[in-house]
Amino acid sequence: MTVDKPSFHSSASDTDTVKPQEQKSWVPTLLIGIAIAYLALVQYIPAINVFFQAFSKGVGPFLSNLTRADFLNAVWLTFLLAAISLPLNTVFGLCAAWAIARHKFPGRAIILSIIDLPFSISPVVAGLMIVLLYGRQGWFGPWLQANDIRIIFAFPGMLLATAFVSMPFVAREVIPVLEEFGKDQEEAARTLGAKDWQIFLRVTLPSIRWGLLYGLILTNARAMGEFGAVSVVSGNIADQTQTLPLFVEDAYKQYETEAAFSAAVLLALLAVVTLVLKEILERKTRIKDVE
């Protein structure tokens, strides 16, 4: 009768395999710590400092800064630019997304590249392009001067710059949704006698609503926070062509620190609202995908 001796080979090998895993357990913690430290230096600490500087002398001075005439004019001009550029880019984005997602035609890749152009060039360069087109020495400058039409250093130029930098978001969010949705339901509705506008309102629009809303939020955020392109074409004239981001820069240069940080707080709150709406839409989209 032989008695099997216990084998220690397997246990030793298990120990060898466990130790490297235990040694590597600190790697995720280190990476998370690096990420948090980086975000703290780049985002959290500067954001906290903005609120600290704005309320350093109390709530009273903060509220008084928000009632200044030049501040209120900057807020009004910012919202007006966003209110006009948002529907313009929505109509353009929907038309571009429909044409690109539903049709195959020569030059489709070029059109996609043109739509993505605001992502790839500096906003300052975009503003300079508008100046070279509509300025006094630009291509259309002599004709505009002859007809007493002012584009540069006026509201139309600021609107062109805002619409340009916020142009791609609706199209880029709707195109993949349309491609994923397909054409089967639209063709079925057309077979049943539905007109094009009925198909869009009752079939297409409900299927792309989350992507469209997501694009609208991003478009509005970019329009309200744009600085570079608007700064080039506006001239940054107080009470006339000064948006809220430009007001922050001008007030800081004039050593009106509290006013500058008070305006920055308002922009930060707008960014927070954008992030909250963005998170809500992402959760709605995930729920829809699960269903």
Side-chain angles (χ1 to χ4, degrees):
M1 180 179 178
T2 60
V3 178
D4 295 335
K5 295 181 180 181
S7 176
F8 296 98
H9 178 72
S10 59
S11 60
S13 61
D14 292 341
T15 305
D16 293 339
T17 57
V18 170
K19 284 184 178 180
Q21 294 177 357
E22 292 177 351
Q23 292 174 356
K24 292 181 180 180
S25 62
W26 57 270
V27 175
T29 305
L30 177 62
L31 294 177
I32 293 173
I34 293 174
I36 294 176
Y38 181 79
L39 289 175
L41 291 173
V42 175
Q43 292 185 352
Y44 299 152
I45 295 177
I48 293 172
N49 182 60
V50 168
F51 282 85
F52 175 79
Q53 295 291 341
F55 293 97
S56 60
K57 295 185 178 181
V59 180
F62 171 78
L63 295 177
S64 64
N65 289 324
L66 299 184
T67 58
R68 292 174 41 162
D70 51 353
F71 172 81
L72 294 176
N73 184 78
V75 172
W76 165 250
L77 191 58
T78 301
F79 279 98
L80 187 61
L81 287 171
I84 297 176
S85 61
L86 185 62
L88 290 176
N89 283 326
T90 301
V91 174
F92 166 78
L94 288 174
C95 294
W98 178 271
I100 293 171
R102 290 291 182 263
H103 302 88
K104 304 295 183 182
F105 53 89
R108 183 173 179 268
I110 297 177
I111 293 179
L112 280 172
S113 300
I114 294 174
I115 292 176
D116 291 338
L117 193 61
F119 289 145
S120 58
I121 65 172
S122 169
V124 175
V125 176
L128 182 61
M129 289 164 48
I130 296 174
V131 172
L132 293 177
L133 285 175
Y134 303 104
R136 290 184 177 181
Q137 305 300 324
W139 290 4
F140 307 114
W143 182 86
L144 292 172
Q145 282 188 299
N147 292 273
D148 196 23
I149 299 175
R150 190 176 180 184
I151 302 295
I152 304 302
F153 304 144
F155 183 81
M158 300 170 66
L159 181 59
L160 284 173
T162 304
F164 177 82
V165 298
S166 58
M167 176 184 65
F169 294 101
V170 172
R172 268 304 180 185
E173 293 298 329
V174 173
I175 288 175
V177 179
L178 278 175
E179 291 177 344
E180 182 181 359
F181 178 65
K183 299 187 294 184
D184 295 340
Q185 296 185 28
E186 296 172 356
E187 293 177 353
R190 186 173 287 106
T191 302
L192 295 174
K195 298 181 180 179
D196 290 339
W197 64 270
Q198 291 175 323
I199 295 174
F200 176 77
L201 291 178
R202 298 183 181 182
V203 179
T204 307
L205 189 59
S207 67
I208 65 172
R209 63 185 184 277
W210 299 121
L212 176 60
L213 288 174
Y214 193 77
L216 291 176
I217 291 174
L218 296 178
T219 301
N220 183 69
R222 182 62 188 273
M224 287 189 175
E226 176 54 32
F227 176 83
V230 174
S231 177
V232 173
V233 302
S234 68
N236 197 7
I237 305 172
D239 293 325
Q240 296 183 28
T241 62
Q242 193 174 77
T243 60
L244 198 53
L246 299 181
F247 174 86
V248 173
E249 183 207 28
D250 187 61
Y252 192 78
K253 286 183 176 180
Q254 299 299 325
Y255 299 101
E256 299 176 352
T257 307
E258 291 79 12
F261 282 105
S262 298
V265 165
L266 181 58
L267 286 173
L269 293 177
L270 291 173
V272 170
V273 171
T274 301
L275 290 175
V276 171
L277 294 175
K278 176 176 172 289
E279 180 64 23
I280 292 174
L281 287 178
E282 286 180 348
R283 290 186 179 184
K284 290 283 187 181
T285 305
R286 287 195 295 266
I287 292 173
K288 182 178 179 295
D289 292 340
V290 170
E291 293 177 350

